[in-house]
Amino acid sequence: MGMFVSFDNWHGCDADGCGACAVRSRAICATLPPGALRPLREIGRHRSIAAGQTLVWEGEESLLVANVIEGMLKLTNSTGDGREQIVGIAYASDFIGRPFGERSNHSVTALTDARVCLFTRAEFDAFARTHPELEHELLKRTLRELDRARSFMLLLGRKTAQERVATLLVDMADRLDDEGEGFELPIGRQQMADILGLTIETVSRQLTRMKEGGVIALPGRRAVVVHDRPALEAMAEAA
Amino acid sequence: MGMFVSFDNWHGCDADGCGACAVRSRAICATLPPGALRPLREIGRHRSIAAGQTLVWEGEESLLVANVIEGMLKLTNSTGDGREQIVGIAYASDFIGRPFGERSNHSVTALTDARVCLFTRAEFDAFARTHPELEHELLKRTLRELDRARSFMLLLGRKTAQERVATLLVDMADRLDDEGEGFELPIGRQQMADILGLTIETVSRQLTRMKEGGVIALPGRRAVVVHDRPALEAMAEAA
DNA sequence: CGCTCCGTTGAAGAGAATCAATGAGCGTGG
DNA sequence: CCACGCTCATTGATTCTCTTCAACGGAGCG
């Protein structure tokens, strides 16, 4: 494992440890009063993760939790024979891992090179248990995640391939397309398929259909331009 | 609304209000020290709900939360054109509703006649905010629900019809079949289909196949006897 | 230049949905 | 107690969507 993992050369109580943190104002730490930040900092460690590396395995003991500082990670569940479903994506400032539980229900794998602020679950649990503001923030985030997961259950259980792809594009556009001038997909076709519960071929065909219908353009492998947003939204909802 | 809803004739601080509650030891209230139970009791109301009645509507403002005292309720998400996906089921002692959020993401509808202990969201939020033990319990429950939802995403996105039905039967047997002598399904075929992201016909056909394969018996509409549990579990996992 | 990875496209097939009819319980009322 | 009607479940025939299998294409890179 050591060969895949690199620790930054600071850890714990550093002069500019959290102050300089890229997600200081957006991660759960933001809820803590200044005085409580120091003890949390002392149990946290920065770690870099290479794309493709898995931080937590489905079904294994829950030993780690973390804040995402930079990069993207996927949360996945798999069947015994290798079928995979992405059940969540963690971006910068998101919290990952399973506090207050014996085992992790899903794997966590880096989609891009990433950096996280890591805690052992035991230490984090103990800290959180004594800091209600932190638990409150965690509760709010977990409730939001649960809402998102349940919305996705509707997509996976009841929506057609076209609706699924359109829904994903609308979500991505909302997240990434500030200027309305198109955006870069942060993931490839296979991962789109793993999110949507489809095959890579079906995703590709649906994108092609939308392109031929003039709803979107695909100027590159990862590039998407939405030409007709209302049409895309209509596709996402009804059919 | 009044014609569908009946309030019990006590509410608030009653002599035996919470002490006699059927879920006193299992609901979130169980975490509260005796002294804190009284103020919570004072903002709670018992309500009876008829089967089929909807307590909360998807997308509407989140005004109510509740503990389930008795009965079963379904949490659902729907598409514009009426396709429905059950995203969760609440049993006695479960907590329902969306605290700390503007809107409810899903509808809550009684599957059986039910009784709940109801709070306005505003009052509950304020109470919870000042009772960390309660928020901690709520966090643990929400994390468990999130794990469950994500496991279900694998089922909905990647499992075959046979695997889905077998998975549901295993879950139900674990929950209901103490003696190994069979159990009564708490829901009909349509709701099984709505949970599994299938049609009623497909659920029926899969059950028939399992019956003909000798894995289960179906002595009545709602009755199930598992003859070959290992086979059923194998069906639930691989294919 | 050729290799590899990833995405696209095509043809064929499987699995589930849909459409349609039949059948079995169950409650109601005669 | 039985007949009726209603709801829910089963079964069959067909259609259709998505998957599977297979080949090709194109961009990036050594």
Side-chain angles (χ1 to χ4, degrees):
Chain A
M1 190 156 173
M3 62 182 299
F4 301 116
V5 177
S6 76
F7 285 89
D8 291 4
N9 61 4
W10 74 267
H11 60 85
C13 180
D14 228 38
D16 59 352
C18 292
C21 180
V23 296
R24 170 77 184 85
S25 62
R26 290 178 295 140
I28 51 170
C29 327
T31 63
L32 289 171
L37 195 56
R38 169 179 286 259
L40 181 62
R41 194 193 325 181
E42 284 178 357
I43 60 172
R45 304 282 183 276
H46 276 204
R47 180 184 284 187
S48 291
I49 305 170
Q53 187 187 349
T54 296
L55 193 62
V56 177
W57 270 269
E58 178 181 353
E60 297 213 339
E61 199 180 349
S62 174
L63 292 172
L64 300 172
V65 301
N67 286 310
V68 179
I69 297 170
E70 188 187 337
M72 278 176 58
L73 302 95
K74 64 175 177 179
L75 319 183
T76 57
N77 274 184
S78 300
T79 58
D81 61 345
R83 284 167 287 172
E84 175 174 307
Q85 178 65 44
I86 294 180
V87 298
I89 294 188
Y91 301 90
S93 85
D94 285 347
F95 180 84
I96 54 178
R98 177 58 159 96
F100 308 119
E102 299 294 297
R103 350 209 107 261
S104 174
N105 189 50
H106 45 75
S107 299
V108 179
T109 304
L111 288 171
T112 64
D113 289 346
R115 286 191 309 124
V116 299
C117 182
L118 208 62
F119 307 90
T120 65
R121 186 182 67 84
E123 285 180 314
F124 180 85
D125 282 3
F127 182 88
R129 205 73 186 78
T130 55
H131 291 83
E133 331 83 287
L134 188 66
E135 285 214 338
H136 181 70
E137 177 62 24
L138 215 43
L139 175 57
K140 287 203 296 183
R141 284 170 185 251
T142 307
L143 286 163
R144 264 202 305 276
E145 273 307 302
L146 184 56
D147 281 347
R148 290 181 58 83
R150 285 172 165 167
S151 294
F152 241 81
M153 287 173 70
L154 176 62
L155 178 142
L156 293 171
R158 294 298 187 201
K159 289 194 179 181
T160 65
Q162 182 177 95
E163 291 168 326
R164 294 183 200 205
V165 174
T167 301
L168 185 66
L169 290 180
V170 169
D171 282 1
M172 290 288 187
D174 285 345
R175 175 178 280 274
L176 302 165
D177 192 358
D178 307 314
E179 312 295 326
E181 297 295 328
F183 57 95
E184 289 283 306
L185 289 167
I187 53 175
R189 295 288 184 272
Q190 182 59 60
Q191 260 123 21
M192 291 177 69
D194 287 343
I195 290 172
L196 299 174
L198 299 170
T199 60
I200 186 173
E201 294 95 330
T202 300
V203 171
S204 182
R205 277 186 251 268
Q206 294 299 334
L207 288 170
T208 302
R209 275 187 55 191
M210 290 178 193
K211 186 179 71 178
E212 287 171 349
V215 178
I216 59 171
L218 301 169
R221 305 186 124 184
R222 293 276 179 112
V224 179
V225 180
V226 178
H227 282 143
D228 189 346
R229 167 88 187 207
L232 191 63
E233 283 172 354
M235 284 174 158
E237 242 314 277
Chain B
M1 190 158 173
M3 63 182 298
F4 300 116
V5 177
S6 76
F7 283 90
D8 290 5
N9 62 5
W10 74 269
H11 60 84
C13 181
D14 227 39
D16 60 352
C18 292
C21 180
V23 296
R24 171 77 184 86
S25 62
R26 291 178 295 140
I28 52 171
C29 326
T31 63
L32 289 171
L37 196 56
R38 170 179 285 260
L40 181 62
R41 193 192 326 180
E42 284 178 358
I43 60 172
R45 304 282 184 275
H46 276 202
R47 181 184 284 188
S48 291
I49 305 169
Q53 187 187 348
T54 297
L55 194 62
V56 177
W57 269 268
E58 178 180 353
E60 295 211 340
E61 198 179 350
S62 174
L63 293 172
L64 300 172
V65 301
N67 287 310
V68 179
I69 298 170
E70 187 188 339
M72 280 175 59
L73 302 94
K74 63 176 178 179
L75 320 183
T76 57
N77 273 183
S78 301
T79 58
D81 61 344
R83 283 166 288 172
E84 175 174 307
Q85 177 65 44
I86 294 180
V87 298
I89 294 189
Y91 302 90
S93 84
D94 285 347
F95 179 85
I96 55 178
R98 177 59 160 94
F100 307 119
E102 299 294 298
R103 351 210 107 258
S104 173
N105 188 50
H106 45 74
S107 299
V108 179
T109 304
L111 288 171
T112 63
D113 289 346
R115 286 190 309 124
V116 299
C117 182
L118 208 62
F119 307 90
T120 65
R121 186 182 66 83
E123 285 180 315
F124 180 85
D125 280 5
F127 182 87
R129 205 73 186 78
T130 55
H131 291 83
E133 330 85 286
L134 188 67
E135 285 214 337
H136 181 70
E137 177 61 24
L138 214 43
L139 175 57
K140 286 203 296 182
R141 284 170 184 250
T142 308
L143 285 165
R144 263 202 306 277
E145 273 307 301
L146 184 55
D147 280 347
R148 291 179 58 83
R150 284 172 166 167
S151 294
F152 241 82
M153 287 173 69
L154 175 63
L155 178 142
L156 293 170
R158 293 299 186 201
K159 289 194 181 180
T160 64
Q162 182 176 95
E163 291 169 325
R164 295 184 200 205
V165 174
T167 302
L168 186 66
L169 289 181
V170 170
D171 282 2
M172 290 289 187
D174 285 346
R175 173 177 281 274
L176 303 165
D177 192 358
D178 306 314
E179 311 296 326
E181 297 296 328
F183 57 95
E184 288 284 306
L185 288 167
I187 54 176
R189 297 286 185 275
Q190 182 60 58
Q191 260 122 22
M192 292 177 69
D194 287 343
I195 290 172
L196 299 174
L198 299 169
T199 60
I200 186 173
E201 294 95 330
T202 299
V203 171
S204 182
R205 276 186 251 270
Q206 294 300 334
L207 288 171
T208 301
R209 275 186 55 192
M210 290 178 193
K211 185 179 69 179
E212 287 172 349
V215 178
I216 59 171
L218 301 169
R221 305 186 121 183
R222 294 277 180 111
V224 179
V225 179
V226 179
H227 282 142
D228 189 346
R229 167 90 187 204
L232 191 63
E233 282 172 356
M235 284 174 159
E237 243 312 278

